[in-house]
Amino acid sequence: MISSARTPLLFLDVDGPLIPFGGTRQQRPDGYPLYGSASMRATHSNPLLARIDPAHGPRLAALPCELVWATSWMEEANECVAPWIGLPALPVVHGHPHSSARETDTWGDRHGKAPAIVEYAAGRAFIWVDDEITEGDRTWVAAHHRGPALLHRVEAHRGLVEADYAALRAWLRTTGDTTPTDPV
């Protein structure tokens, strides 16, 4: 994980990308795998944490970007999720009070997180990884963000898989350091 004003940002949701959910019996015939020992799982108040594969931490940290939580978990992501997967405390995007809600406006169906993410990015290149990204989000971000952006939708019943990581790495390779600079 790299941190620099010109390094791309990666805004990460928890429910869906890290904690898979909502799969049908056909999609998940064996249910969801659980990670960590039984005693480790028993020490956490949220049983869904056991669905998070701890291997996500090193994989995310290896990406050439700065990780930022964009989740309704807010600071709780640093208290529960980050230690589970071996990440340090990360910055958290604070949206409006209903930042996980859907909104409909002239841009179509849009997630309440979109404005907060664009504001936080302030023109820097970014990836937004979420299971609720829509065309309305893509249209809104394209109209309001002056830098490169990848809105990467993850299937909630699968969570992040190798194909998702490959797409993130490919975009980061091609985007590089393309953040616009302010004139001096």
Side-chain angles (χ1 to χ4, degrees):
M1 182 171 46
I2 299 169
S3 180
S4 152
R6 298 184 51 79
T7 302
L9 298 161
L10 189 151
F11 295 100
L12 183 61
D13 186 24
V14 172
D15 295 316
L18 295 180
I19 299 176
F21 70 92
T24 65
R25 288 203 185 276
Q26 291 77 23
Q27 292 168 324
R28 303 296 290 208
D30 298 324
Y32 292 99
L34 299 179
Y35 300 91
S37 67
S39 63
M40 236 176 118
R41 292 193 303 263
T43 63
H44 292 280
S45 60
N46 189 328
L48 293 179
L49 285 174
R51 288 188 187 177
I52 303 176
D53 182 350
H56 285 304
R59 294 184 85 182
L60 290 164
L63 295 171
C65 59
E66 180 181 336
L67 301 174
V68 180
W69 294 121
T71 175
S72 60
W73 285 63
M74 304 300 275
E75 282 79 11
E76 193 176 1
N78 282 324
E79 297 165 16
C80 301
V81 179
W84 182 265
I85 62 178
L87 289 177
L90 304 175
V92 177
V93 168
H94 294 276
H96 62 73
H98 306 288
S99 63
S100 63
R102 306 282 331 152
E103 297 178 353
T104 302
D105 57 19
T106 58
W107 305 98
D109 185 31
R110 161 176 72 80
H111 203 291
K113 292 179 193 176
I117 286 171
V118 167
E119 181 180 347
Y120 188 102
R124 284 172 66 182
F126 74 81
I127 298 172
W128 175 15
V129 177
D130 204 307
D131 62 304
E132 297 183 326
I133 293 170
T134 66
E135 285 308 310
D137 295 313
R138 294 177 200 289
T139 302
W140 194 91
V141 169
H144 291 87
H145 180 65
R146 63 184 179 164
L150 171 65
L151 279 63
H152 185 80
R153 188 175 184 282
V154 172
E155 294 297 326
H157 72 275
R158 293 183 317 174
L160 279 166
V161 296
E162 178 51 39
D164 297 306
Y165 282 106
L168 302 178
R169 288 189 303 267
W171 189 85
L172 287 163
R173 266 193 311 276
T174 60
T175 302
D177 188 10
T178 60
T179 304
T181 58
D182 295 327
V184 179

